[in-house]
Amino acid sequence: MADDKPLFGEVRRFVRTSGAVTGIAARVAGERFLGIKTNKAAHAADLRAVLGGLKGPLMKVAQFLSTVPDALPEEYAAELQELQSNAPPMGWAFVKRRMTAELGPHWQSRFKEFGQEAAAAASLGQVHRAVLPDGTPVACKLQYPDMPNVVDADLRQLRMALGLYQRMDSTLENSEVFQELSDRLREELDYTREAKHQKLYGIMLRGSVQVWVPQPVEELTTQRLLTMNWLPGRPLLKRLEEDPSAEERGVYARALFEAWYKPLYVCGVIHGDPHLGNYLVRQPGDEQPGGISLLDFGTIRVFPPRFVGGVVRLFEAIRDGNEARAYEALEDWGFTGLSKETLRLLKSWAEFLYDPLIEDRVRPIQQSDDPNYGRNVAQAVHGGLKAEAARTGKPVKVPREFPFMDRAAVGVGSAFMRLKTEQNWHRLFMELIDGFDEQALADRQAKALVEAGL
């Protein structure tokens, strides 16, 4: 029996979400054109409740858009930042159908043990713990039914919502952001590609003593089933609830810094999902304790070497107070044809992001204790961009490379704030970019992609 019901599943999902999406549009339109004051905060809470119970990409899309400047009204962005999936995993009947479809009717003979209960549930699939015949513990990630049709339905909803908001009340033009998000989501449906991403990260972090990456079991991996070695550890958030020592928190912070930024500055690759649930910590009793295991490689972004060069050049310009070079670097990012005033506003956002990397001293990642400090900076920049858009009569177009880079910086910064650790961020960063050469990065990137099969 097939476990996918494309038409029924797509229609049911559309009915469930369309009221929430069109509700946003109606409220924004009423306020914009009719002067009707609405309680957007209350409606945003309703939207969070609708999306939080869904499996699939719409929840992930909402989390992502909450970090993109001006992609959604402020009230929705703030509410959706807290969104987590509470949808329960699917039962054993689904597991048997999925495993039979991927590995054949005798799939259980490929394993010594296979856990009937899901060990974890994610937006596109759920994970089961298993053991291979030779005793190797593995994780099997099974994709939920009909995900390609679900993705298409959710993206149509998203395009509608963003299009309406763009016409009504937006300063930034996010068509490139939508295309980027669409491409990455469709890639995430292919677990054979995620397996290659795992191999890529294993290559880029080869030799690391503080970051571990799962490696795929290729003969047990298909487009909808990913089998990989099981990594030991506990969720980072759970460990932080136990108030570990400052020394231990520092170990995790330095491991996170390496896991995120070494791939970027060595090979131009970044992990596109900064959710704290993607880290396990290793403690005494675990194999090779003292570090983190990095999980979930569905959303990986490979940047053109020139873009990474622009990231380095922007840092150097901010550090040196060279405004002209900062503008050139922002153009390397893809912000082209902008006025000096608009570039100056974008530079102020870059100054906030690069601030902890400038000073050669031990310090927290953010000097202010205000958790909304970054959002307040972004709002001030947005206010200036809005005035600029009104003056020129056109919004600022956001290049497609920008959201993942910006989201990674903000997401990792938030993780460091949760760790409550002080480090010499300047020295950690300078070790990565010492002797940076764009052509050398291009060569390393090409070599690593070929080795990983990408």
Side-chain angles (χ1 to χ4, degrees), residues 29-157:
E31 194 165 279
R32 173 76 169 176
F33 298 114
L34 304 177
I36 300 172
K37 293 299 180 183
T38 62
N39 188 343
K40 287 189 283 188
H43 185 62
D46 293 341
L47 178 67
R48 175 183 171 188
V50 170
L51 300 184
L54 291 176
K55 293 179 176 68
L58 195 58
M59 180 198 65
K60 179 173 288 192
V61 165
Q63 288 177 318
F64 177 83
L65 287 176
S66 72
T67 67
V68 177
D70 201 43
L72 294 171
E74 177 187 342
E75 291 84 357
Y76 300 106
E79 193 71 31
L80 294 179
Q81 278 189 319
E82 303 301 320
L83 185 64
Q84 300 293 332
S85 174
N86 59 10
M90 300 191 73
W92 182 238
F94 156 73
V95 174
K96 290 190 294 184
R97 288 196 301 271
R98 172 62 74 222
M99 295 299 291
T100 299
E102 304 310 308
L103 297 181
H106 305 294
W107 66 269
Q108 287 178 298
S109 67
R110 310 286 293 272
F111 300 92
K112 182 179 180 181
E113 300 174 16
F114 193 98
Q116 292 193 15
E117 300 295 326
S123 55
L124 303 183
Q126 63 191 49
V127 177
H128 289 253
R129 189 164 187 171
V131 179
L132 298 182
D134 65 1
T136 302
V138 295
C140 294
K141 183 161 76 168
L142 290 66
Q143 190 173 117
Y144 294 132
D146 197 31
M147 280 294 105
N149 285 292
V150 167
V151 165
D152 286 342
D154 286 358
L155 287 174
R156 284 199 299 274
Q157 294 271 37

Side-chain angles (χ1 to χ4, degrees), residues 276-353:
L276 284 177
N278 286 333
Y279 313 112
L280 301 178
V281 298
R282 298 193 177 206
Q283 297 177 268
D286 290 329
E287 180 187 356
Q288 297 177 303
I292 65 167
S293 297
L294 183 60
L295 307 177
D296 194 346
F297 295 83
T299 308
I300 301 299
R301 184 53 157 99
V302 180
F303 291 103
R306 181 166 179 78
F307 177 85
V308 183
V311 173
V312 175
R313 287 188 286 275
L314 183 57
F315 162 76
E316 293 171 341
I318 298 297
R319 177 196 62 193
D320 300 338
N322 190 322
E323 192 171 79
R325 287 192 65 200
Y327 297 164
E328 291 174 2
L330 284 167
E331 289 184 344
D332 288 337
W333 280 46
F335 289 103
T336 57
L338 302 180
S339 69
K340 287 293 177 64
E341 180 58 33
T342 301
L343 288 169
R344 190 172 291 114
L345 290 167
L346 292 171
K347 175 175 166 285
S348 67
W349 177 239
E351 288 169 343
F352 163 71
L353 292 179

Side-chain angles (χ1 to χ4, degrees), residues 349-371:
W349 177 239
E351 288 169 343
F352 163 71
L353 292 179
Y354 284 120
D355 176 62
L357 307 179
I358 300 295
E359 296 180 284
D360 186 6
R361 67 179 181 89
V362 175
R363 52 158 286 176
I365 194 71
Q366 179 179 291
Q367 299 286 20
S368 172
D369 293 330
D370 181 3

